[in-house]
Every structure is written in structure tokens, then in C-alpha cells.
Amino acid sequence: MPRYAFFKGQFVPIEEARVSIMTHAFNYGTGCFEGIRAYWNEEEGQLFVFRLREHYERMHRSCRILRIHLPYSVEELSALTVELLRREGFRQDAYIRPLAYKADEVIGVRLHDLTDEFAMFAVPFGRYIEQEEGAHVCISSWRRVDDNATPARAKITGAYINSAFAKTDAVLSGYDEALVLTDTGHISEGSAENFFMVRQGCLVTPPVTSNILEGITRDTIIELARQEMGIKTIQRSIDRSEIYICDEAFLCGTGCQVAAITRIEHRPIGNGTIGPVVTRLRELYFDVVRGKLPRYRHWCTPVYEQSGGTGQE
């Protein structure tokens, strides 16, 4: 349980960070958010926040789409995040949830002439998909939201009902996750993760025009594959049947990290176990996020002073 939140311009005890049942965002989903991870490096006694700047740059873009005025710059949001984590004093992996939302207590569907607020909290966090080394997924009967209806490139709170439909149907049917198709029947992404497959020595992933979130982990994987493994990434539409014959497949995202897909419904991917490309990408990813590879240290924002983290009251 977290101890603090940033709420209405100040740090407060988490129990004081409350909104009314009449809040516009609660009634209509008129808000946006980010999911940011911080990773504990035991050897250094340090907590590293991964790609903090890129997350807040994306949050600013989501706010523009929703007509939300975010009164804090990327630098200010980053500083607030570090301060919140210092107050919490986490010595384990954590997840940060900043939210921007329409805060008025009024009835009426709209985005204009409403008050904007920002809030943030953080919690200890482990795996999002328990079977990261071998997830069993299905093709969802729910289609992905469309850019001309509810833009997937913005992390809109209300839009995640689409993800909830897909995820719950998958889990209650015995799967770990779902793959969601576009209206044209091509692969879009997981319920809340980007999708990659390995074919003929290349990574293949849907383009940003396939109603996907422009994922920060997705971008990280493309960079690591190119720089560290000499593997190029092709961004193109993916037919449903292609994934049945690919060599390897995986999901990625801040929440799920890098999760191998080893079965799609009743069909094994490759030999039905995690493959060499995904294995290596996972190793690289977890070294990078914990600040263990100097080449990518600029992606990692340290939380505590050099002596290590003890937290602040």
C-alpha cells in the first residue's frame, strides 16, 4: 500500500487523495494516464525510473488530444515523480501511475469548459503477466478501438474498457492474454501490450497506423534488437494467419515488460517454448532497465542519493 500521493498540487497522505462520485472523469472516462516502472538495483542500492522523460512527453500528447491543460513541464513532472518515490522509500521494483483528468463535479458529456487536475501515486509492482517466459494467448472476439473513434495512441482512461473486455474474456477462457485485431482483421496488439513476431531473422510489428499505442517499451525493443543483436524491425500489417507460422512471438509494454508467447490458442509458436531471440531480448531489457548497461544509462533516472535509498518522511 502506498503512503503518499501527489494530489491537487501537493504531496498528501494517500488516504487524503480522494475524488467525488460526481467527478467528470469517473462518470465519463475523461482522463489520461501513464504507466511508468522503476527498477531496484540491489548492487548499487539504487532505484532507477525507466525512460521517465519519454513517458511524460507521451502524457503531454495524450493531454493535447483530450483538451487537458497539464500545468507541469516534462522536467517538473519528472522531478515530482522522483520526489514521490523518495518519500515512499521503495527498495523494490515499483510502478508509478500519473493521471490527468477532468475534475468538475458536473453532468454533461464534453471536453471543453472543464477543470483539469493532475494526480500521481506509486506502488510496489512485480509481474503483470505471470507466465512471462511462456504465455498462452488467444485471438479476441473484441476488435481494437479505432483512431477515428477513440484514439489508441492516447492513453485515455475510458478507452481501456476495450482492453478489459479482451483481457477478461481471455483469462476466464483459460488464457494468459489476448491478441486484438483491427477492423480490417489484422493484428493490432495485446489487450494492453504491443506485439512482435520473429520471421526470417527479422522482428515484425504492426505500424502505428494499426490502432496501437506508440509504446515506449516497443521503441526500446526496436533499438536493442538493432544495436545489440543486429536484428532489424519491419513495421507492417500482420495477417492473423502469419502468427501461426512465425518462429517466435512476444508481447511488450511497461506493465508486461517482455513476455514470450509460446502458444496461440491451440497452436504452438515455434517448438512451443521461449526462443533464442526473445530470451536474449529479455536479458538485455532487464539489464538495461536496472542501469547495468552503461550505453543505455541515460534512459535510467536514479531516485536516491549516491549512498542509497532510505526514504524521506
Side-chain angles (χ1 to χ4, degrees), residues 205-251:
T205 192
V208 295
T209 51
S210 286
N211 294 323
I212 70 168
L213 179 71
E214 296 177 310
I216 292 165
T217 307
R218 175 181 181 271
D219 179 73
T220 301
I221 291 299
I222 292 171
E223 180 73 6
L224 293 179
R226 181 175 64 87
Q227 292 282 7
E228 304 300 321
M229 300 173 66
I231 297 175
K232 70 176 182 179
T233 299
I234 301 169
Q235 301 186 42
R236 62 165 175 80
S237 294
I238 298 174
D239 288 336
R240 174 176 178 164
S241 62
E242 280 190 272
I243 62 177
Y244 297 143
I245 60 173
C246 68
D247 302 314
E248 301 179 49
F250 63 96
L251 297 167

Side-chain angles (χ1 to χ4, degrees), residues 183-204:
D183 277 342
T184 61
H186 295 93
I187 302 296
S188 178
E189 55 185 5
S191 69
E193 311 90 3
N194 291 124
F195 172 80
F196 283 82
M197 67 179 181
V198 181
R199 283 203 71 186
Q200 298 176 328
C202 297
L203 293 184
V204 185

Side-chain angles (χ1 to χ4, degrees), residues 10-148:
Q10 60 184 333
F11 291 101
V12 300
I14 190 70
E15 59 270 15
E16 294 180 15
R18 297 289 184 264
V19 296
S20 165
I21 194 173
M22 291 180 61
T23 301
H24 199 272
F26 178 70
N27 283 268
Y28 300 113
T30 48
C32 62
F33 68 96
E34 274 297 320
I36 307 169
R37 272 195 187 258
Y39 289 89
W40 178 247
N41 182 314
E42 184 68 36
E43 291 77 15
E44 294 188 34
Q46 184 59 268
L47 189 66
F48 289 110
V49 191
F50 189 59
R51 301 198 71 172
L52 187 55
R53 180 176 187 87
E54 288 88 344
H55 277 285
Y56 282 127
E57 288 172 344
R58 186 172 65 185
M59 188 168 199
H60 269 274
R61 295 194 293 270
S62 293
C63 285
R64 289 206 302 272
I65 290 174
L66 280 174
R67 299 175 65 95
I68 290 175
H69 172 65
L70 195 54
Y72 304 103
S73 67
V74 169
E75 291 74 19
E76 290 169 332
L77 290 167
S78 298
L80 289 171
T81 302
V82 170
E83 176 61 21
L84 176 64
L85 292 171
R86 285 176 178 165
R87 288 172 181 253
E88 292 289 1
F90 293 135
R91 298 179 67 85
Q92 63 190 106
D93 295 353
Y95 187 88
I96 306 102
R97 172 51 54 85
L99 299 127
Y101 61 98
K102 301 294 183 180
D104 293 273
E105 298 174 15
V106 296
I107 298 297
V109 180
R110 65 183 188 275
L111 295 174
H112 63 285
D113 297 334
L114 293 169
T115 303
D116 303 319
E117 282 287 359
F118 173 80
M120 176 171 52
F121 64 91
V123 294
F125 201 74
R127 292 189 173 200
Y128 179 73
I129 297 176
E130 190 59 35
Q131 304 298 326
E132 280 187 4
E133 295 84 2
H136 189 186
V137 309
C138 64
I139 302 294
S140 178
S141 61
W142 297 96
R143 295 299 174 99
R144 190 69 173 118
V145 292
D146 186 77
D147 187 67
N148 286 306

